[in-house]
Amino acid sequence: MRFDDIWISGTGGTLGDLVPIGRAVEDGSYSAEVAESTGMVSVSQSADAPPEMAVTAGRQALKEAAACGTEIGPDTLYLHSHSHFQGVDMWPAACWIGGELLGTRMAGMPMTVSAASNGSLACLEIAASMLAGRPELPSALITVADRFAPPTDRWYLSPGMVFGDGAASAVVTRGDGRLRLLSCASETDAALEGLSRGDEPFRTAPEPRPDMRRRTREFLARGELSLRDVRARSAAGTAGVVSRALSDAGLSMDGIDWLVTPFVGRALFKESFVRPLDAVPGNTLAELGLTIGHLGPADQLYGLDHLLKENLLEPGKRVLLIGTGMGFTFSAAVLEARGA
């Protein structure tokens, strides 16, 4: 879908301590062979709960948005996304975070968007669509946050990556901002859903330490899809949403200056996001990802915040965001830095 007057006016991001991968190798948490394959350098580990990190990132985004003149108040739409435990069972984290950031009386309903690691783009697409269709909404606030503390095994939770702790935020509005959203596209290939379910039964309580690698092996052992099939379908999903997003924005890949993808290991980055595309921009945040880990749903919005904070986006420069999530969902979005 093309958007003509949707902007990001503020962003925020926060991490934990960056712990060297060598430390995990030394204590036996992570194998040296796998570390060499992924190319991970360090990983973010936070003592703060995800909602606390979300508030930190959200306050940064709101401060920037206010400086841009964005109208923020009780009518602001609020969306939160996460893929893991938020610190309290059976608790609406979005209501607490929204209360901390927007005040305890909100005109609308804070909502949690369940999209696994595709939460940044899912929230962005929902916020943009809501603002485009509901003129009474002045703006939207997005937060995304996760922490992968024990008993979760951040080192082997999913093949090809290490999970890091962090949060990101964005304020979406009309009229003006720091980044203009040109387009968003999403699709789902539910034939790949079993990769994250395997042979798991439906339980009456959460599994304390999910083994996602075992579930993937179980899914492949059924023989419904081969590993080659999985890779082909994943590549097709990524290429499909990128093609649609670029077409809706009236661009080709040579018009893109920066690529921001999920923060995965070096081999998985090439397999999932370089090979499926005919061309890849020379500027990516892949190396940044190797220093912080995969932040669940927060990678893309954290990446945007990094680009802005480090002054890496000159006026008119364009960014392609790619998101994927268990299920299996694929998303892409194109943004352009505000002109001089």
Side-chain angles (χ1 to χ4, degrees), residues 231 234-236 238-239 242 253 259-262 264-287 320 322 324:
R231 288 174 173 167
S234 296
T238 296
V242 168
M253 190 65 82
L259 174 66
V260 180
T261 71
V264 297
R266 189 168 285 134
L268 190 56
F269 171 73
K270 292 179 180 177
E271 178 68 33
S272 299
F273 307 111
V274 175
R275 292 180 183 172
L277 305 178
D278 293 332
V280 174
N283 298 314
T284 79
L285 293 183
E287 294 301 312
L320 172 64
I322 298 177
T324 59

Side-chain angles (χ1 to χ4, degrees), residues 121 238-239 241-243 245-246 252-264 266 268-289 299-307 312-313 317-324 331-335:
L121 286 177
T238 296
V241 293
V242 168
S243 177
L246 289 174
S252 58
M253 190 65 82
D254 60 9
I256 299 298
D257 301 288
W258 281 90
L259 174 66
V260 180
T261 71
F263 295 148
V264 297
R266 189 168 285 134
L268 190 56
F269 171 73
K270 292 179 180 177
E271 178 68 33
S272 299
F273 307 111
V274 175
R275 292 180 183 172
L277 305 178
D278 293 332
V280 174
N283 298 314
T284 79
L285 293 183
E287 294 301 312
L288 172 69
D299 293 345
Q300 294 81 7
L301 289 186
Y302 185 87
L304 284 184
D305 182 62
H306 175 82
L307 290 174
L312 296 174
L313 290 178
K317 295 298 183 181
R318 300 184 183 105
V319 183
L320 172 64
L321 306 180
I322 298 177
T324 59
S331 296
V334 180
L335 300 102

